[in-house]
Amino acid sequence: MFARNSVIALATFDMEIIIQPTAEAATTRAARVIARLLREKPNAVLGLATGSTPLLLYRELIRMKLDWRKVTTFNLDEYVGLAPTHPQSYHSFMRENLFQHIKISMRNVHIPDGMAKNIPASCENYERKITAAGGIDLQVLGIGTDGHIGFNEPTSSLASRTRIKTLTQQTRRDNARFFGSEADVPHHCITMGIGTIMEARQNLLLAFGPKKARAVAEAVEGPITSINPASMLQMHPATKVCLDKDAASQLQRADYYRWVYDNKPGWQQI
Ligand code: GLP
């Protein structure tokens, strides 16, 4: 269930909370972690996320002109019923915001198939492909206002694997901005499970803006509970949480996290 050893030095067995004044500054920290991984392991396996949050990250990674030729990627999720060509599909999102701007082999790109005839078989196959690739070295995560990671909605099993999931009304409302209206947002999705995410060697969760503050505070400082699926990351040995000041605004111990980050001893500077 827990992360395997990595070729790169990982952080300590604590969640690392990185609070920056702006989303741009928090993104720069996250981009550096990914750039370092790709330098140290050119054939790294990256888990990728969609939504507004990683947009800045993808822009920064494109700007950095990294070598993606041997990189393999697995996306967290996709809407059921949306073809890869549908403008709101996560296939389209990834193409437009990352893949068409970098030199990656599309054979190495994996996104759940929202059009699969046999969804359970397709989900099992997705898990098999992750295993065959050697597991995910680093998983990028956003967080929903309800605490979801991927599309693991509240009450998802904390041991769940890739599967079909029903979206909550809150998530469909949150994501309506990408579609014409809320009615156009699919009800179902395929998402990696929390168990799948927990097996990534490293997780990098990004959250920006005041709307995420409550979900972030519950995930970082609340009890581990399926009501806030991101709270399971407290059990992960190498998770970094990159926040702007607004997303960090409900953390009780923000001053402590800031001090820890600003005063890292040399051996911890990774
Ligand atoms: C989406 C995605 C998640 C994402 C989250 C937050 O629906 N499935 O992977 O992290 O919801 O989205 P945003 O970054 O747009 O706030």
Side-chain angles (χ1 to χ4, degrees), residues 10-248:
L10 294 179
T12 63
F13 279 77
D14 293 304
M15 203 182 236
E16 185 175 18
I17 317 297
I18 302 170
I19 304 172
Q20 295 293 306
T22 62
E24 286 76 12
T27 295
T28 303
R29 299 300 182 286
R32 275 187 207 154
V33 175
I34 296 175
R36 177 177 172 152
L37 171 66
L38 298 199
R39 270 198 307 274
E40 294 184 357
K41 189 176 180 187
N43 62 344
V45 179
L46 282 186
L48 298 176
T50 50
S52 326
T53 308
L55 282 173
L56 280 173
L57 175 69
Y58 295 150
R59 208 177 301 158
E60 179 64 6
L61 293 176
I62 294 163
R63 195 195 62 74
M64 288 171 125
K65 297 201 186 311
L66 303 168
D67 184 356
W68 293 84
R69 285 171 303 169
K70 293 184 183 154
V71 173
T72 296
T73 66
F74 286 91
N75 262 77
L76 283 166
D77 44 21
E78 178 57 289
Y79 291 106
V80 168
L82 298 197
T85 49
H86 188 289
Q88 267 71 50
S89 73
Y90 285 162
H91 280 77
S92 295
F93 176 99
M94 290 309 300
R95 210 169 32 246
E96 281 163 26
N97 295 299
L98 184 63
F99 298 143
Q100 72 180 15
H101 305 284
I102 58 175
K103 287 204 175 82
I104 190 164
S105 161
M106 289 310 284
R107 273 179 308 144
N108 295 341
V109 165
H110 306 88
I111 303 177
D113 179 4
M115 299 298 280
K117 293 257 177 319
N118 183 339
I119 290 179
S122 167
C123 292
E124 256 179 59
N125 193 35
Y126 201 67
E127 290 275 340
R128 264 198 302 273
K129 281 187 188 158
I130 294 173
T131 305
I136 292 172
D137 290 301
L138 183 148
Q139 176 67 58
V140 177
L141 296 168
I143 184 169
T145 57
D146 61 4
H148 73 225
I149 45 176
F151 266 138
N152 291 284
E153 296 286 32
T155 71
S156 287
S157 160
L158 297 178
S160 51
R161 313 299 310 188
T162 304
R163 68 205 183 293
I164 189 167
K165 193 74 195 155
T166 306
L167 299 175
T168 60
Q169 206 190 339
Q170 187 175 334
T171 297
R172 293 185 62 250
R173 208 179 296 134
D174 285 347
N175 287 3
R177 67 188 192 280
F178 298 113
F179 292 79
S181 70
E182 196 178 317
D184 293 332
V185 183
H187 281 270
H188 295 97
C189 63
I190 294 174
T191 180
M192 275 186 206
I194 300 175
T196 322
I197 293 168
M198 289 297 288
E199 282 178 6
R201 295 181 182 94
Q202 215 182 150
N203 279 302
L204 200 51
L205 185 145
L206 294 98
F208 311 134
K211 281 195 197 135
K212 301 294 174 71
R214 184 159 154 228
V216 166
E218 286 172 355
V220 172
E221 296 177 338
I224 296 171
T225 166
S226 65
I227 293 296
N228 181 311
S231 65
M232 185 59 180
L233 294 170
Q234 293 175 31
M235 294 289 287
H236 192 276
T239 289
K240 290 187 200 299
V241 179
C242 300
L243 307 170
D244 69 356
K245 65 172 184 334
D246 292 332

Side-chain angles (χ1 to χ4, degrees), residues 253-267:
R253 292 168 176 79
D255 290 346
Y256 172 68
Y257 309 136
R258 284 195 173 95
W259 196 93
V260 171
Y261 187 69
D262 292 342
N263 295 277
K264 280 216 262 189
W267 54 266

